[in-house]
Amino acid sequence: MMHCFPDGSSESLRFNPTGNSGPAEAQGCFECCIKCLGGIPYASLIATILLYAGVALFCGCGHEALSGTVTILQTYFEMARTAGDTLDVFTMIDIFKYVIYGIAAAFFVYGILLMVEGFFTTGAIKDLYGDFKITTCGRCVSAWFIMLTYLFMLAWLGVTAFTSLPVYMYFNLWTICRNSTLVEGANLCLDLRQFGIVTIGEEKKVCTVSENFLRMCESTELNMTFHLFIVALAGAGAAVIAMVHYLMVLSANWAYVKDACRMQKYEDIKSKEEQELHDIHSTRSKERLNAYT
């Protein structure tokens, strides 16, 4: 098997004066590894890992928390799905689940695209005059990613704010359960109408004196759903941090690519001028030789 070295030669053609191929091969592999590690965009890699972790927490825990909410509403608040195409709370929860599926798929692809852009940008900066050239299209793609990442950051800020609403609702419910055990004889109630879950005409509430309330506070669904929403909120916050990290990385790459492009133009002009001077000297030398002969 042939191993390629950084200088382009192969193991079978590389000459080793000592006759021992071990050190030369080891040195070549070490140089290859260093070169490969130097081309990895570590900042983009960290942002991608943070983005995937945040999206996974938000989508996974958010989906399970919505399923737990359906169980709580049907079991303890005695709510049922409305027949027909009426937009009730259960239909909205199903819509939110489909939105979660879309978010998971979209940001999985977007994270891969940003990683690929990081690899290409790193390669363009490190190998400016190698096989990789900085083009106008590449700069436009980088600018487009900056704009798109900024919009996604604003979207995740909105998702984070929206996810805090069920956390607040479940915190109120958890506080009522805790206060009902601390204060004897207290009659505390939670009405779903104040959160807009049901219409004003429907009275769906549980009070501390009811059996459903006691069973709900003692059940594991309430505690699990509350903590799942908290983890989903943390995941959304991690996604926001990842978007901010991506913005810093993309902005830095844009500045580096812009400077490298200017340097590339300068080097091209300099090389062209040197070639012209060389042609002029060659022409004059030929003229002098012809005149002498």
Side-chain angles (χ1 to χ4, degrees):
M1 180 181 296
M2 289 188 179
H3 298 279
C4 292
F5 292 90
D7 57 1
S9 62
S10 63
E11 179 185 0
S12 60
L13 299 178
R14 187 157 183 159
F15 176 71
N16 187 3
T18 61
N20 185 9
S21 61
E25 181 182 353
Q27 185 178 3
C29 292
F30 179 76
E31 292 175 358
C32 286
C33 292
I34 293 299
K35 185 175 181 180
C36 291
L37 291 175
I40 296 176
Y42 292 101
S44 297
L45 181 62
I46 293 174
T48 303
I49 294 174
L50 185 60
L51 175 64
Y52 281 169
V55 172
L57 288 177
F58 172 77
C59 294
C61 296
H63 182 274
E64 293 302 316
L66 290 175
S67 300
T69 301
V70 172
T71 302
I72 291 174
L73 292 177
Q74 291 178 340
T75 304
Y76 305 109
F77 287 90
E78 299 179 352
M79 294 182 61
R81 290 181 178 270
T82 305
D85 298 332
T86 305
L87 184 63
D88 57 356
V89 62
F90 297 106
T91 305
M92 295 179 62
I93 289 176
D94 293 336
I95 293 174
F96 291 151
K97 287 183 178 180
Y98 286 114
V99 171
I100 286 176
Y101 300 150
I103 289 175
F107 279 92
F108 176 77
V109 176
Y110 190 65
I112 294 177
L113 292 177
L114 289 177
M115 272 299 298
V116 171
E117 196 273 343
F119 272 107
F120 274 91
T121 305
T122 303
I125 293 171
K126 292 183 177 296
D127 301 325
L128 183 58
Y129 287 99
D131 297 331
F132 211 66
K133 291 289 185 178
I134 299 174
T135 61
T136 304
C137 180
R139 297 197 301 273
C140 292
V141 169
S142 297
W144 183 77
F145 271 121
I146 292 175
M147 180 188 68
L148 195 60
T149 304
Y150 180 76
L151 294 177
F152 280 149
M153 184 197 68
L154 296 179
W156 274 110
L157 284 174
V159 170
T160 304
F162 182 78
T163 310
S164 63
L165 296 179
V167 173
Y168 172 73
M169 294 168 57
Y170 274 98
F171 177 75
N172 287 339
L173 184 56
W174 178 76
T175 303
I176 292 175
C177 289
R178 186 183 61 177
N179 291 338
S180 64
T181 58
L182 296 178
V183 182
E184 296 182 0
N187 186 16
L188 305 175
C189 296
L190 180 67
D191 196 342
L192 296 181
R193 290 178 294 183
Q194 63 183 344
F195 299 108
I197 298 178
V198 296
T199 59
I200 300 298
E202 300 180 66
E203 185 177 353
K204 297 293 182 180
K205 66 179 180 179
V206 290
C207 298
T208 55
V209 294
S210 64
E211 182 181 356
N212 285 340
F213 182 84
L214 297 177
R215 289 193 299 112
M216 180 180 63
C217 292
E218 294 175 356
S219 66
T220 59
E221 288 89 355
L222 177 63
N223 190 42
M224 180 63 68
T225 304
F226 177 43
H227 287 87
L228 284 174
F229 271 121
I230 293 177
V231 176
L233 178 61
V240 173
I241 297 175
M243 290 291 104
V244 174
H245 196 164
Y246 268 129
L247 279 177
M248 293 188 295
V249 172
L250 291 171
S251 300
N253 288 342
W254 166 260
Y256 291 149
V257 168
K258 190 175 181 181
D259 292 340
C261 184
R262 292 177 179 175
M263 183 61 66
Q264 179 180 342
K265 291 180 180 180
Y266 170 76
E267 293 292 340
D268 292 339
I269 294 174
K270 182 180 178 181
S271 177
K272 185 178 179 180
E273 291 179 351
E274 290 178 353
Q275 184 64 35
E276 290 177 354
L277 291 175
H278 178 72
D279 294 340
I280 292 173
H281 287 302
S282 298
T283 303
R284 289 181 178 178
S285 299
K286 290 180 180 180
E287 291 177 353
R288 290 176 183 175
L289 181 61
N290 293 333
Y292 177 76
T293 56

